[in-house]
């Protein structure tokens, strides 16, 4: 209960920095980056929402499948992130763990400042966090009569607003990083969405908070991708549906999953990293399923 109380408390404590301070930070971040930061072999990847589930598996595979490159893993409570702490012991020189709470923009800004000072750039940003249910707080709605304002706002804040704020603050670092040090031509922002966020694919209804918050994430990501292209920034944004994965998020709802459609974290992340690593400029703003097929908006 204490954890849930803190989550609710943080929702009301959010205080975004002024637009003036953000503009100054962007100018300073670009001007202060050293030339060596642009040549970090293997690149610099950030996984937001990395304490467990798919996010933790992204960190693990990024570290294990490449002997080079740095990974920054963020979560709300690093001291309790046992999986990350295990990986830190194993990859002490290549893994950095930072505190970041999506409901507190000041922690997002602090993380960006820390990355700028240490690495100077980013080549990959994966927004992996998301909420579907919280006992006694948030439940997927099976009917309109169960929709509550508090559930809608919480789902939107974590699933849509938070990831876009992360992109906003990491934007200068991604712009400088591009594809430098990697086999890609551009930096990649990969937001974990869900097929239920597709309006065109919605045939069952229900799940109002989760479904609509993922739809909002899709639209926000698409809008950001258009701006990056218009500015000719070396960044592309893609949305990824991981399938139904055996994690804490999906576990209460696995009973009706068809045979063969419940994936392990290892399988899903392997597929998603394949999409990320092969992403090109023409993929900017697209919505992909785990198997590489595009999902209708």
């Amino acid at each position: 209960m204490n954890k849930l109380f803190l989550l609710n408390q943080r929702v009301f404590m959010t205080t975004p920095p002024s637009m003036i301070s953000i503009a100054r930070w962007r100018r300073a971040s670009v001007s202060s980056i050293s030339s060596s930061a642009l040549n970090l072999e293997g690149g610099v990847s950030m996984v937001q929402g990395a304490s467990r589930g798919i996010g933790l598996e992204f960190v693990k595979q990024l570290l294990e499948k490449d002997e080079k490159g740095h990974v920054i893993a963020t979560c709300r409570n690093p001291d309790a992130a046992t999986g990350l702490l295990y990986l830190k012991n194993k990859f002490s020189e290549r893994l950095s763990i930072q505190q970041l709470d999506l409901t507190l923009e000041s922690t997002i800004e602090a993380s960006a400042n820390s990355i700028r000072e240490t690495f100077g750039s980013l080549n990959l940003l994966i927004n992996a966090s998301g909420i579907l249910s919280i006992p006694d707080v948030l439940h997927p709605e099976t009917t309109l009569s169960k929709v509550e304002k508090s559930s809608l706002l919480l789902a939107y804040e974590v699933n849509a607003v938070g990831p876009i704020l992360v992109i906003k603050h990491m934007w200068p670092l991604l712009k400088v990083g591009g594809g430098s040090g990697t086999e890609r031509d551009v930096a990649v922002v990969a937001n974990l969405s869900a097929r239920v966020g597709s309006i065109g694919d919605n045939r069952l209804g229900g799940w109002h908070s989760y479904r609509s918050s993922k739809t909002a994430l899709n639209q926000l990501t698409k809008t950001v991708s258009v701006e990056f292209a218009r500015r000719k920034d070396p960044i592309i944004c893609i949305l990824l549906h991981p399938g139904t994965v055996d994690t804490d998020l999906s576990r209460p709802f696995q009973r009706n999953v068809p045979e063969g459609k419940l994936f392990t974290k290892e399988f899903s992340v392997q597929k998603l990293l394949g999409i990320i690593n092969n992403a090109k400029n023409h993929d900017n703003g697209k919505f992909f399923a785990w198997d590489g097929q595009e999902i209708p908006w």
Side-chain angles (χ1 to χ4, degrees):
M1 292 300 294
N2 186 45
K3 179 178 179 182
L4 297 178
F5 172 76
L6 289 175
L7 175 63
N8 290 334
Q9 184 183 47
R10 285 168 182 153
V11 169
F12 294 102
M13 289 174 61
T14 305
T15 304
S18 69
M19 293 304 296
I20 294 176
S21 65
I22 293 172
R24 287 175 178 168
W25 185 91
R26 284 174 178 160
R27 291 194 296 269
S29 67
V30 175
S31 62
S32 64
I33 292 172
S34 66
S35 59
S36 61
L38 305 179
N39 297 300
L40 287 167
E41 194 171 6
V44 182
S45 303
M46 174 181 172
V47 181
Q48 181 273 122
S51 62
R52 58 182 182 170
I54 294 177
L56 178 61
E57 184 62 26
F58 266 118
V59 175
K60 182 173 180 288
Q61 292 197 26
L62 284 168
L63 290 168
E64 290 181 347
K65 293 183 179 299
D66 193 341
E67 296 180 356
K68 301 170 183 176
H70 298 269
V71 178
I72 302 153
T74 73
C75 60
R76 280 198 307 125
N77 187 4
D79 292 338
T82 55
L84 283 180
L85 295 175
Y86 170 80
L87 290 175
K88 179 64 176 176
N89 288 331
K90 189 176 180 182
F91 300 96
S92 59
E93 295 183 359
R94 295 178 52 216
L95 175 62
S96 300
I97 304 174
Q98 295 185 2
Q99 195 270 338
L100 189 155
D101 185 337
L102 282 183
T103 68
L104 282 174
E105 189 172 1
S106 60
T107 67
I108 302 173
E109 185 175 21
S111 177
N113 284 331
S114 176
I115 296 170
R116 176 175 58 84
E117 293 168 2
T118 304
F119 301 104
S121 63
L122 269 179
N123 308 101
L124 172 62
L125 167 60
I126 300 173
N127 278 308
S129 64
I131 56 170
L132 173 58
S133 65
I134 301 174
D136 302 321
V137 176
L138 176 66
H139 303 279
E141 310 91 344
T142 56
T143 174
L144 177 62
S145 63
K146 294 184 178 180
V147 171
E148 296 181 358
K149 179 179 179 180
S150 60
S151 296
L152 285 165
L153 292 177
L154 181 57
Y156 271 69
E157 181 168 33
V158 176
N159 293 341
V161 177
I164 297 305
L165 292 178
V166 173
I167 299 174
K168 180 182 78 171
H169 286 283
M170 302 303 162
W171 179 14
L173 297 165
L174 292 160
K175 184 175 180 178
V176 172
S180 178
T182 74
E183 296 181 358
R184 298 185 300 268
D185 296 327
V186 290
V188 175
V189 174
N191 287 340
L192 258 64
S193 186
R195 186 180 292 274
V196 296
S198 166
I199 295 174
D201 192 64
N202 184 359
R203 296 177 179 85
L204 297 176
W207 291 38
H208 298 71
S209 297
Y210 185 73
R211 188 187 294 275
S212 60
S213 65
K214 288 297 187 179
T215 304
L217 174 66
N218 293 353
Q219 179 68 286
L220 287 164
T221 305
K222 176 66 176 180
T223 302
V224 170
S225 74
V226 172
E227 180 171 357
F228 288 168
R230 187 174 66 245
R231 291 175 178 270
K232 294 182 169 49
D233 290 344
I235 314 167
I236 65 170
C237 298
I238 58 176
L239 291 145
L240 299 174
H241 166 56
T244 302
V245 184
D246 187 14
T247 64
D248 292 341
L249 182 144
S250 70
R251 201 152 288 135
F253 314 101
Q254 293 177 4
R255 184 176 58 182
N256 297 321
V257 177
E259 186 176 354
K261 294 297 183 180
L262 180 63
F263 303 144
T264 65
K265 298 185 293 290
E266 293 79 6
F267 174 83
S268 178
V269 168
Q270 181 183 22
K271 291 291 188 179
L272 297 179
L273 278 177
I275 295 172
I276 291 170
N277 290 331
N278 289 296
K280 308 295 182 184
N281 271 302
H282 59 77
D283 295 318
N284 188 34
K286 293 183 179 180
F287 185 10
F288 295 104
W290 60 272
D291 58 0
Q293 298 298 309
E294 279 196 63
I295 298 175
W297 298 109

